[in-house]
C-alpha cells in the first residue's frame, strides 16, 4: 500500500470522524475505510465494558454476520487482547498457528490468516478498546501500514471521547432545562 494512498485514507477517516457525533456511525465508517483502503478481509472495533472484563463488538466491516456474532471477547481468556490492552501492538502473520486467539476455529471458518490488533486509547493513555484488522492471505504488515493503523486507532479513540463528551453535555443541558421549567412553574 503506497504512502499517498495511506495519507488519502487518513484524510477520509478524519472527515468521517468530524462528520458525526454518533459513535456507531463514526466507528463503522472507520472500519469500512480501513478495510477497503488496505484491501483487507475485514476490520473489527471492540470496546471494553465498564468493568474492563469484556470486549464488545461495536463496529465491523467485511466479516460475516456469523463471525461478528461469535460472542464477546473475554479479556481473561484472550492472551492476545491482554497484551494489546497493556498498550502493545500485536501482529500475527498466521493466526492458524497462534494459540493466543480465543476463537481459533471461527477464525479458520471465516478464512482469516493474518491479523494486527492495536489499542484504542482515550486522552492518549487510557485503553478503551481494540482495533483489529484481518487479512484473508498470509501478510506481513509494513511499518508504514502499522503507523497508519496506529493513527487510525488514535483517531477512533478521539472520536469516541468527543461523542461521549457531547452526550454528557447534551444530558446536562437537558437536566438544566428541566430544572428551569420546574422552577418557572412554582
Amino acid at each position: 500500500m503506497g504512502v499517498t494512498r495511506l495519507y488519502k485514507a487518513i484524510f477520509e477517516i478524519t472527515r468521517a470522524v468530524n462528520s458525526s457525533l454518533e459513535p456507531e456511525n463514526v466507528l463503522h465508517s472507520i472500519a469500512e475505510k480501513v478495510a477497503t483502503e488496505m484491501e483487507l478481509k475485514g476490520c473489527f472495533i471492540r470496546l471494553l465494558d465498564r468493568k474492563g472484563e469484556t470486549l464488545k463488538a461495536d463496529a465491523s466491516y467485511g466479516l460475516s454476520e456469523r463471525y461478528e456474532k461469535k460472542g464477546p471477547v473475554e479479556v481473561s481468556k484472550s492472551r492476545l487482547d491482554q497484551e494489546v490492552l497493556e498498550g502493545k501492538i500485536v501482529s500475527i502473520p498466521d493466526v492458524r498457528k497462534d494459540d493466543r486467539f480465543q476463537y481459533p476455529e471461527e477464525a479458520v471458518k471465516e478464512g482469516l490468516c493474518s491479523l494486527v490488533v492495536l489499542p484504542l486509547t482515550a486522552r492518549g493513555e487510557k485503553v478503551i478498546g481494540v482495533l483489529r484488522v484481518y487479512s484473508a492471505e498470509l501478510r506481513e504488515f509494513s511499518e508504514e501500514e502499522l503507523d497508519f493503523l496506529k493513527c487510525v486507532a488514535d483517531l477512533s479513540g478521539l472520536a469516541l471521547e468527543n461523542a461521549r463528551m457531547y452526550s454528557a453535555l447534551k444530558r446536562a443541558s437537558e437536566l438544566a432545562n428541566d430544572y428551569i421549567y420546574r422552577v418557572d412553574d412554582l
Side-chain angles (χ1 to χ4, degrees):
M1 186 172 179
V3 173
T4 303
R5 191 170 177 184
L6 290 174
Y7 282 124
K8 184 178 175 187
I10 287 292
F11 175 73
E12 294 295 326
I13 289 169
T14 304
R15 287 180 65 186
V17 167
N18 285 328
S19 69
S20 175
L21 288 170
E22 296 298 325
E24 290 178 14
N25 296 339
V26 172
L27 294 179
H28 180 76
S29 293
I30 290 171
E32 179 181 356
K33 291 286 181 195
V34 168
T36 55
E37 293 297 326
M38 294 186 72
E39 298 175 352
L40 296 166
K41 166 84 173 155
C43 178
F44 220 136
I45 297 173
R46 291 182 173 270
L47 301 179
L48 274 172
D49 66 356
R50 290 185 187 270
K51 294 179 180 177
E53 297 172 351
T54 304
L55 286 163
K56 295 182 173 181
D58 274 79
S60 67
Y61 181 82
L63 303 167
S64 70
E65 188 174 332
R66 177 191 50 78
Y67 190 76
E68 290 175 351
K69 294 183 178 179
K70 67 185 180 307
V73 174
E74 297 175 47
V75 175
S76 64
K77 294 180 180 177
S78 174
R79 289 188 297 135
L80 169 67
D81 290 299
Q82 290 171 15
E83 290 179 37
V84 175
L85 294 173
E86 291 173 0
K88 298 177 185 171
I89 297 172
V90 177
S91 180
I92 300 175
D94 191 346
V95 296
R96 299 167 295 183
K97 297 178 181 174
D98 196 288
D99 65 351
R100 293 177 285 177
F101 234 58
Q102 185 179 353
Y103 297 102
E105 294 168 9
E106 286 79 4
V108 170
K109 288 179 188 172
E110 186 70 12
L112 306 176
C113 289
S114 299
L115 165 78
V116 176
V117 187
L118 303 98
L120 294 182
T121 56
R123 297 182 197 140
E125 54 192 55
K126 182 181 176 188
V127 179
I128 58 173
V130 299
L131 171 76
R132 294 174 180 240
V133 296
Y134 304 92
S135 173
E137 299 134 11
L138 295 176
R139 179 171 173 170
E140 292 280 340
F141 290 87
S142 69
E143 283 298 316
E144 288 86 12
E145 289 174 321
L146 293 175
D147 287 344
F148 167 76
L149 290 170
K150 177 72 176 119
C151 182
V152 169
D154 289 346
L155 283 171
S156 300
L158 179 65
L160 287 169
E161 276 300 301
N162 286 344
R164 286 180 180 164
M165 286 191 294
Y166 173 75
S167 179
L169 282 172
K170 185 177 174 185
R171 174 121 173 88
S173 175
E174 290 169 355
L175 289 173
N177 287 339
D178 286 349
Y179 176 76
I180 290 169
Y181 179 74
R182 286 187 204 144
V183 169
D184 287 345
D185 286 348
L186 296 177

